[in-house]
Amino acid sequence: MSNLTLERLLEEDLRRVSEIHRVCFSSDSKMPGDSLIWLKSNLSAAPRFQYYVAKKEDQIVGYILWMELGGFRNDAVLELEQIGVSPGYRSQGVGTFLIQESLREYIRTVLVPQERKLKLVKITTGTENKAQELYKKTLGAEPECVIRDLFGSDELVMLARYEQIKNKLTP
């Protein structure tokens, strides 16, 4: 999808991202306000957690959350913690844009200035989730293992090592 821009999530955008979160992850929250609390707590945990949003004509159409695992190591391990795209913008390249552009931005603005490098990306997703193809296509992620009954169903852990990722991030 063309005409998308990538920005860091700002606190004033939390309500809109919360709407997308509630639609994409309806089983994550019992109460309507839970989504906003969840998002706000993650936003306040920077630099370990990094949110980015995709905008089209100044409207937020999707978001992504990256989480750094295991401390701030020289060889960084990131988890693609969550990605959500507004229903009207799905299957239009927003997810691909969010993954690739936000990861480039993370490497450029977080890892490079600290003289660190990306080692791998971990993704945990439902075994039936069609997004597995997106992770394979955009990152080169491959299945690593299945965790049975993690969130009420089986979850697949996928890994993408830097050697796989670097070819996908080249413009």
Side-chain angles (χ1 to χ4, degrees):
M1 171 178 263
S2 61
N3 300 325
L4 287 174
T5 58
L6 182 79
E7 297 178 14
R8 290 226 181 186
L9 175 65
L10 302 174
E11 191 159 350
E12 57 260 27
D13 294 327
L14 280 172
R15 289 217 182 275
R16 172 64 184 133
V17 172
S18 176
E19 293 167 7
I20 297 170
H21 177 263
R22 285 195 315 271
V23 170
C24 295
F25 302 98
S26 58
S27 63
D28 282 8
S29 304
K30 290 182 182 179
M31 306 293 290
D34 288 352
S35 176
L36 192 57
I37 293 167
W38 175 259
L39 295 164
K40 195 172 191 175
S41 68
N42 289 332
L43 182 62
S44 67
R48 183 172 184 229
F49 288 82
Q50 300 285 326
Y51 272 109
Y52 298 91
V53 295
K55 288 187 173 182
K56 181 170 176 77
E57 299 172 4
D58 291 328
Q59 178 185 351
I60 295 174
V61 298
Y63 74 94
I64 191 166
L65 173 60
W66 292 99
M67 177 175 68
E68 193 154 349
L69 300 173
F72 299 123
R73 298 170 182 251
N74 286 334
D75 293 326
V77 175
L78 300 181
E79 180 166 0
L80 194 166
E81 164 64 22
Q82 197 167 70
I83 184 170
V85 176
S86 186
Y89 292 92
R90 292 182 185 160
S91 299
Q92 297 179 36
V94 176
T96 298
F97 172 84
L98 275 166
I99 292 169
Q100 291 179 334
E101 294 305 314
S102 67
L103 187 53
R104 280 186 190 105
E105 183 69 4
Y106 193 102
I107 291 168
R108 185 180 70 74
T109 64
V110 177
L111 297 182
V112 170
Q114 296 173 5
E115 298 179 355
R116 299 187 300 133
K117 61 183 181 176
L118 179 63
K119 180 177 182 178
L120 65 83
V121 170
K122 174 187 167 209
I123 303 126
T124 304
T125 189
T127 55
E128 303 300 318
N129 192 339
K130 293 178 186 176
Q132 292 174 39
E133 288 304 313
L134 173 66
Y135 306 138
K136 184 174 183 125
K137 179 184 83 171
T138 58
L139 296 169
E142 294 292 337
E144 185 72 18
C145 67
V146 173
I147 303 172
R148 293 175 26 97
D149 194 26
L150 183 61
F151 298 115
S153 63
D154 294 348
E155 293 282 316
L156 176 66
V157 177
M158 300 178 78
L159 296 180
R161 300 192 183 281
Y162 183 71
E163 295 75 32
Q164 299 159 299
I165 296 168
K166 70 180 176 183
N167 296 330
K168 304 287 184 179
L169 294 181
T170 304

